Amino acid sequence: MWHILGAGSLGTLWATRLARAGVPVQLLLRDSARLHSYQQAGGLTLIEQGQAQHYPIAAQTVADTQPIQRLLLACKAYDAAPAVAQLAHRLAPGADILLLQNGLGSQDEVARAAPQARCIFASSTEGAFRQADFQVVFAGHGHTWLGDPQNMQPPAWLADLRQAGIAHDWSLDILSRLWRKLALNCAINPLTVLHDCRNGELREHPTQLACLSSELVELLQHCGHSHAAEGLHDDVLRVIQATALNYSSMHQDVRQGRRTEIAYLLGYACQAAQRHRLPLPHLYALHTQLLAHLDSRGLPSH
Ligand code: NAD
Ligand code: KPL
């Protein structure tokens, strides 16, 4: 049984694909009001290539008492540790928690909140967005890397992902993958917010991109992830080109007045740089400007 916390974009994408492959799934919703809305909707809807499919997946609130053996945590990074703390008493001995959060920092927070569980980290290039409550569009096929920095042994339940057609690989260096994605997000997302532009328009700011990429390379190297630093600047330019017409996830969050994951992206990078006493002026200045911008829009800095 997979317990899936968060019936948002990625939670729905995973729950519906697992359920249609015959894997038992139970959604964990915030409270009885949310469960009531879910029951009214009658299940989750996944829209793929314009086709909507409805899945009446079982759901319960986080306050239920059923033990949890395998938890897919599909909430934002800032919600991850509080959510797990709420569920800690339900985690069976030897439970696994699969963490879908972008960025870094929330994984350690979750591990502290549930020291009895095995935490498996994920980094995904899949894309999904909510069209309405309990209705999600599968917008971009991608790949998910999973790994556990403490234990190289892949879990047996990866077979469920294969059965569900969820493209994935077991990574022996998941932290490097997460650092690389974090670096890409730090180079691209804040600039799209500050310039209020699509990813592709960042091509008009080559010097800023080059300075940030070079500082991020230095940071990755000092943090022991030299491999993740290789070819970063070229990769930043490649991602900008490949996603030229898109608005970055942070831009979308800010435009829609939603809290961002800044503390787990640029905030985490700046904290790591300070720990290593690295003078990275462009990165620090970007962080300061982004915080001021969020503040001016009434959005939190954490
Ligand atoms: P989302 O906001 O669409 O969904 C999160 C859901 O979790 C919401 O429904 C929220 O109500 C729920 N939630 C939060 N706390 C809860 C709690 N205590 N109990 C029950 N439910 C709770 O977010 P998302 O877009 O699915 O993103 C999840 C993570 O995946 C983020 O870290 C994001 O950066 C990452 N990610 C998302 C995508 C994407 O395409 N959406 C792609 C790659 C990575
Ligand atoms: O991952 C991204 C995001 O929007 O969060 C991109 C823009 C592809 C890289 O930063």
Side-chain angles (χ1 to χ4, degrees):
M1 164 71 77
W2 287 70
H3 282 85
I4 300 188
L5 181 131
S9 307
L10 282 197
T12 298
L13 189 56
W14 280 66
T16 51
R17 288 180 297 176
L18 286 165
R20 76 182 171 199
V23 176
V25 171
Q26 183 74 241
L27 285 178
L28 294 172
L29 302 175
R30 202 182 282 276
D31 53 28
S32 48
R34 185 90 177 127
L35 183 59
H36 182 69
S37 311
Y38 177 73
Q39 283 159 348
Q40 300 249 293
L44 295 176
T45 300
L46 183 67
I47 300 144
E48 286 175 279
Q49 284 148 7
Q51 299 288 318
Q53 280 280 341
H54 190 70
Y55 301 89
I57 293 168
Q60 57 187 214
T61 67
V62 289
D64 199 284
T65 53
Q66 187 184 48
I68 296 173
Q69 188 62 55
R70 184 170 313 132
L71 175 64
L72 177 73
L73 202 55
C75 56
K76 299 285 193 186
Y78 47 76
D79 281 328
V84 166
Q86 262 183 303
L87 291 170
H89 65 287
R90 291 181 59 182
L91 293 171
D96 289 334
I97 306 180
L98 174 48
L99 302 162
L100 288 184
Q101 287 63 45
N102 200 15
L104 280 159
S106 66
Q107 297 85 356
D108 288 342
E109 292 173 1
V110 167
R112 280 196 293 277
Q116 74 277 37
R118 178 183 186 192
C119 289
I120 287 155
F121 304 174
S123 178
S124 183
T125 60
E126 289 193 317
F129 65 87
R130 259 191 292 185
Q131 180 166 276
D133 235 8
F134 307 118
Q135 284 187 25
V136 165
V137 177
F138 191 177
H141 286 260
H143 201 87
T144 302
W145 284 269
L146 305 132
D148 175 357
Q150 318 251 5
N151 179 352
M152 296 298 138
Q153 200 59 34
W157 47 256
L158 289 187
D160 289 351
L161 307 195
R162 272 192 292 281
Q163 199 176 319
I166 298 173
H168 68 281
D169 271 306
W170 182 250
S171 167
L172 296 180
D173 195 4
I174 189 69
L175 281 178
S176 277
R177 285 214 171 263
L178 283 161
W179 268 106
R180 174 67 164 217
K181 177 100 192 302
L182 177 137
L184 286 169
N185 285 161
C186 286
I188 299 173
N189 298 14
L191 286 182
T192 62
V193 172
L194 295 171
H195 292 296
D196 188 15
C197 69
R198 293 176 198 265
N199 296 348
E201 292 166 70
L202 292 183
R203 286 174 294 204
E204 292 160 28
H205 305 280
T207 315
Q208 264 186 313
L209 289 171
C211 290
L212 284 172
S213 298
S214 122
E215 291 188 2
L216 285 160
V217 163
E218 209 179 316
L219 176 63
L220 293 180
Q221 286 168 343
H222 273 85
C223 290
H225 296 285
S226 300
H227 181 56
E230 281 167 24
L232 182 67
H233 183 222
D234 286 346
D235 211 17
V236 167
L237 299 179
R238 183 194 60 77
V239 170
I240 284 172
Q241 179 76 26
T243 61
L245 294 178
N246 298 356
Y247 285 105
S248 76
S249 54
M250 189 178 273
H251 186 281
Q252 292 177 43
D253 283 342
V254 172
R255 192 171 46 185
Q256 289 167 34
R258 292 190 306 234
R259 183 174 171 184
T260 68
E261 295 184 299
I262 178 177
Y264 301 89
L265 297 167
L266 190 53
Y268 186 90
C270 287
Q271 259 186 17
Q274 271 158 358
R275 260 199 319 276
H276 289 278
R277 300 190 196 291
L278 290 177
L280 302 180
H282 294 90
L283 205 66
Y284 294 137
L286 185 68
H287 190 221
T288 306
Q289 284 166 30
L290 187 60
L291 288 176
H293 183 86
L294 295 179
D295 190 47
S296 73
R297 314 265 309 207
L299 292 172
S301 56
H302 55 281

